[in-house]
Amino acid sequence: AQTVTQSQPEMSVQEAETVTLSCTYDTSESDYYLFWYKQPPSRQMILVIRQEAYKQQNATENRFSVNFQKAAKSFSLKISDSQLGDAAMYFCAYRSLHYGGSQGNLIFGKGTKLSVKP
Amino acid sequence: DTEVTQTPKHLVMGMTNKKSLKCEQHMGHRAMYWYKQKAKKPPELMFVYSYEKLSINESVPSRFSPECPNSSLLNLHLHALQPEDSALYLCASSQVPSGGYYQETQYFGPGTRLLVL
């Protein structure tokens, strides 16, 4: 079974600085998706960034980028120029590429709570 | 439009009440999901509907009864709940598998905060 581990329960960053959130996962599959979701206090889960495992190029989305290390099974999220609105719980998630049974379910890490200091 | 809506935003119910949560999407997605999320925890999958048919039930107690009346709507009927069922209930949707592969992104609604007294 696949697992996702976020080893940092809480992190803090100064506004305008850069912060990196860690995520590691375990799987025997070669094809899968990885996601970072953001959940602010307003509670809606918002997709931040997505990475397909078969793509070597790291995904980027404006101030958000990932460092995807497939061999090391690592998927960290870098937030540049942090803003107050970035304060939220961040969840790393894994999803199998292949359809069937529970293989397509999102498997979440426990989350990292990010605080942004003005 | 990547919007999933949920009503109500908040719900308080007694253990003998019957209530329903509603979820709606107009993105043409044919897979819809219910998740339960306790405070400071990740979401836990409850049910998955694919083409309006229940495809996954993650051993959820029968006091939770899902329904998918059409491709845009998903309901969760609640009856005889327990205080430990108090949580945030999230709905999500995505495209269904194509050629045996999942379309990758689930879009979440804002959730219903449920309190069972």
Side-chain angles (χ1 to χ4, degrees):
Chain A
Q2 297 85 13
T3 59
V4 177
T5 302
Q6 293 178 249
S7 59
Q8 306 152 316
E10 295 188 22
M11 290 198 72
S12 180
V13 64
Q14 204 71 35
E15 195 176 7
E17 298 293 308
T18 295
V19 65
T20 299
L21 308 184
S22 301
C23 173
T24 59
Y25 59 94
D26 190 27
T27 183
S28 59
E29 298 178 327
S30 58
D31 294 323
Y32 46 86
Y33 297 108
L34 295 165
F35 306 86
W36 279 98
Y37 280 92
K38 166 186 175 181
Q39 189 175 36
S42 64
R43 76 196 183 200
Q44 183 156 6
M45 294 279 282
I46 301 166
L47 178 69
V48 175
I49 202 164
R50 179 186 72 221
Q51 175 80 43
E52 292 89 341
Y54 58 87
K55 291 186 178 179
Q56 292 187 338
Q57 187 173 7
N58 289 327
T60 62
E61 194 72 40
N62 299 316
R63 297 182 295 106
F64 299 88
S65 62
V66 297
N67 183 3
F68 173 49
Q69 301 289 329
K70 190 173 184 180
K73 297 180 182 175
S74 172
F75 182 60
S76 60
L77 174 70
K78 185 171 83 171
I79 306 174
S80 303
D81 185 25
S82 297
Q83 301 176 0
L84 295 177
D86 295 332
M89 182 72 84
Y90 285 81
F91 290 101
C92 178
Y94 171 103
R95 189 177 196 184
S96 176
L97 187 66
H98 297 283
Y99 178 68
S102 299
Q103 289 180 347
N105 295 349
L106 277 173
I107 299 169
F108 289 94
K110 292 186 176 182
T112 296
K113 183 179 180 181
L114 178 66
S115 302
V116 180
K117 297 179 180 178
Chain B
D1 183 9
T2 57
E3 188 177 60
V4 177
T5 59
Q6 290 186 243
T7 55
K9 290 184 178 180
H10 302 275
L11 179 62
V12 180
M13 60 186 291
M15 289 188 285
T16 59
N17 292 156
K18 286 185 179 180
K19 296 287 184 182
S20 297
L21 310 184
K22 295 185 185 301
C23 173
E24 189 169 3
Q25 58 87 15
H26 294 287
M27 294 179 278
H29 291 169
R30 301 301 293 275
M32 297 186 76
Y33 312 77
W34 279 115
Y35 288 86
K36 173 183 178 181
Q37 186 180 24
K38 302 287 271 186
K40 299 183 180 180
K41 299 289 187 182
E44 299 174 6
L45 183 68
M46 300 175 71
F47 302 104
V48 180
Y49 272 82
S50 180
Y51 290 108
E52 297 85 67
K53 294 188 188 304
L54 184 64
S55 60
I56 294 175
N57 177 342
E58 293 287 359
S59 303
V60 179
S62 60
R63 56 185 184 269
F64 294 92
S65 176
E67 178 196 21
C68 191
N70 61 55
S71 60
S72 300
L73 291 174
L74 184 66
N75 298 322
L76 185 62
H77 302 296
L78 314 173
H79 174 55
L81 294 193
Q82 303 297 309
E84 60 264 29
D85 296 323
S86 298
L88 179 68
Y89 288 84
L90 293 166
C91 172
S93 72
S94 73
Q95 296 180 28
V96 290
S98 174
Y101 296 92
Y102 266 107
Q103 298 301 307
E104 61 274 17
T105 303
Q106 289 186 23
Y107 295 93
F108 286 82
T112 293
R113 180 79 64 190
L114 174 66
L115 178 61
V116 182
L117 300 176

